[in-house]
């Protein structure tokens, strides 16, 4: 295990800035996810840590050692690629052994033992002699993971490793990655565009937006207390509603464009024009409640729940609701939300 420190990392391609001064400290044994949309710079940052990309400015430290100018093989890191990059002519065991051979780690017997241990860790010991083409996508993914951990690197780098799996396999591999990380304790940097993966796997999430850190924190912090409109919308797809905070009879309220109000937490100090973040799952719909009235536009069936798309004060609002009661398109409904769950975005 090792610490990773990124200091003021800047990266440009053909005079186009991709990363704008990223600084990040990762503790030994921590699982950190770089989360963001395509093109935000997360994979470029991962490749810089791996040594596959140079920096325009800044430096990279691993375990207190400046590795900015070192090649990948001198950094004691392992990277698992989205494509898995398995060698088709080699067996599963030889694919996993490959980095040990290239780095001349141990003799043949020692290498064989390390391969056996790595394959057992990912529950593939019984497939050691098969070729990659004889494996399912999930099995190939596990082979690539075994190859990444076989040398017990100081840092494990994962570049969207679950994106090629179907939904059920992706769920299974999320559990497996959590359990493997708990057993091995490797310092891990994980790149994903999937918020569910980041929330379920990470000790800490670093949300990137256009080459800058938008927000970082634990999954609970970044989900429950988004700092910006971008963070609110990207993590959990919150509704962003324009309003004006004014003093009400019993405390602050958010007045909407049509004059309807949402009651805010008593300790809310903001006043004037703001943006409110309302999580879809926090909104409670009823036919005859006392809250603001919205009109149903569309109902989307999601199995255990429905997503309702509504119009509220001229703005589009989405809510997730149980399917024990159905509201028809065009119906008017009342909205209720715990004031403590309303986030006022200060930007």
């Amino acid at each position: 295990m090792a610490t990773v420190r990124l200091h003021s990392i800047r990266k440009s391609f053909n005079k186009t800035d991709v990363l704008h001064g990223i600084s990040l400290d990762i503790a030994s044994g921590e699982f950190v996810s770089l989360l963001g949309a395509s093109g935000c710079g997360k994979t470029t940052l991962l490749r810089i840590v791996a040594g596959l990309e140079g920096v325009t400015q800044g430096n990279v430290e691993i375990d207190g050692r400046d590795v900015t100018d070192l090649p990948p093989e001198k950094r004691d890191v392992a990277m698992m690629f989205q494509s898995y990059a398995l060698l088709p002519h080699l067996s599963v065991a030889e694919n996993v052994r490959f980095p040990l051979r290239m780095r001349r780690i141990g003799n043949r017997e020692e290498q064989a033992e390390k391969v056996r241990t790595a394959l057992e860790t990912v529950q593939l010991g019984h497939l050691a002699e098969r070729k990659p083409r004889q494996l399912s996508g999930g099995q190939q993914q596990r082979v690539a993971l075994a190859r990444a951990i076989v040398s017990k690197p100081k840092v494990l780098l994962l570049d969207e490793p679950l994106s090629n799996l179907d939904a059920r396999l992706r769920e299974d591999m999320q559990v497996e990655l959590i359990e493997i990380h708990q057993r091995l304790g490797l310092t891990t940097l994980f790149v994903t565009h999937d918020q569910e993966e980041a929330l379920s796997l990470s000790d800490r999430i670093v949300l990137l937006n256009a080459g800058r850190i938008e927000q970082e924190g634990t999954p609970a912090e970044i989900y429950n207390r988004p700092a910006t409109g971008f963070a609110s919308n990207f993590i959990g797809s919150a509704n962003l509603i324009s309003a004006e905070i004014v003093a009400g009879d019993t405390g602050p309220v958010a007045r909407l464009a049509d004059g309807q109000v949402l009651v805010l937490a008593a300790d809310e100090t903001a006043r004037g024009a703001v943006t409110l973040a309302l999580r879809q799952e926090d909104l409670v719909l009823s036919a005859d409640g006392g809250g603001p009235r919205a009109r149903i536009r569309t109902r989307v069936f999601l199995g255990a729940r429905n997503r309702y798309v509504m119009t509220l004060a001229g703005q589009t609002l989405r809510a997730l609701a149980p399917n024990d009661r159905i509201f028809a398109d065009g119906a008017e409904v009342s909205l209720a939300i715990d004031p403590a769950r309303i986030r006022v975005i200060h930007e």
Side-chain angles (χ1 to χ4, degrees), residues 216-291:
E216 62 177 292
T218 66
E221 288 171 346
I222 207 167
Y223 186 86
N224 292 319
R225 293 187 293 278
T228 67
F230 178 86
S232 297
N233 197 38
F234 199 91
I235 306 289
S237 299
N239 297 287
L240 300 180
I241 302 297
S242 298
E244 181 183 12
I245 298 183
V246 298
D249 294 338
T250 59
V253 297
R255 186 167 58 201
L256 306 178
D258 62 356
Q260 299 190 88
V261 298
L262 288 168
V263 177
L264 301 177
D267 59 354
E268 180 56 59
T269 59
R271 293 294 185 270
V274 298
T275 298
L276 305 179
L278 312 177
R279 295 284 182 203
Q280 297 183 43
E281 64 271 25
D282 291 337
L283 292 166
V284 179
L285 278 58
S286 63
D288 51 7

Side-chain angles (χ1 to χ4, degrees), residues 316-329:
T316 298
L317 195 71
R318 291 172 172 81
L320 289 170
N323 59 14
D324 55 352
R325 184 174 184 183
I326 303 300
F327 298 98
D329 292 358

Side-chain angles (χ1 to χ4, degrees), residues 130-152:
R130 291 194 183 181
K131 295 292 198 301
R133 65 177 179 276
Q134 298 173 297
L135 305 178
S136 67
Q139 290 168 336
Q140 290 181 28
Q141 198 257 10
R142 292 181 185 199
V143 174
L145 180 58
R147 184 179 58 189
I149 65 176
V150 68
S151 62
K152 296 184 178 178

Side-chain angles (χ1 to χ4, degrees), residues 20 32 47 129 165 190 239:
H20 305 271
V32 173
R47 289 173 62 85
E129 300 308 315
L165 303 179
F190 177 88
N239 297 287

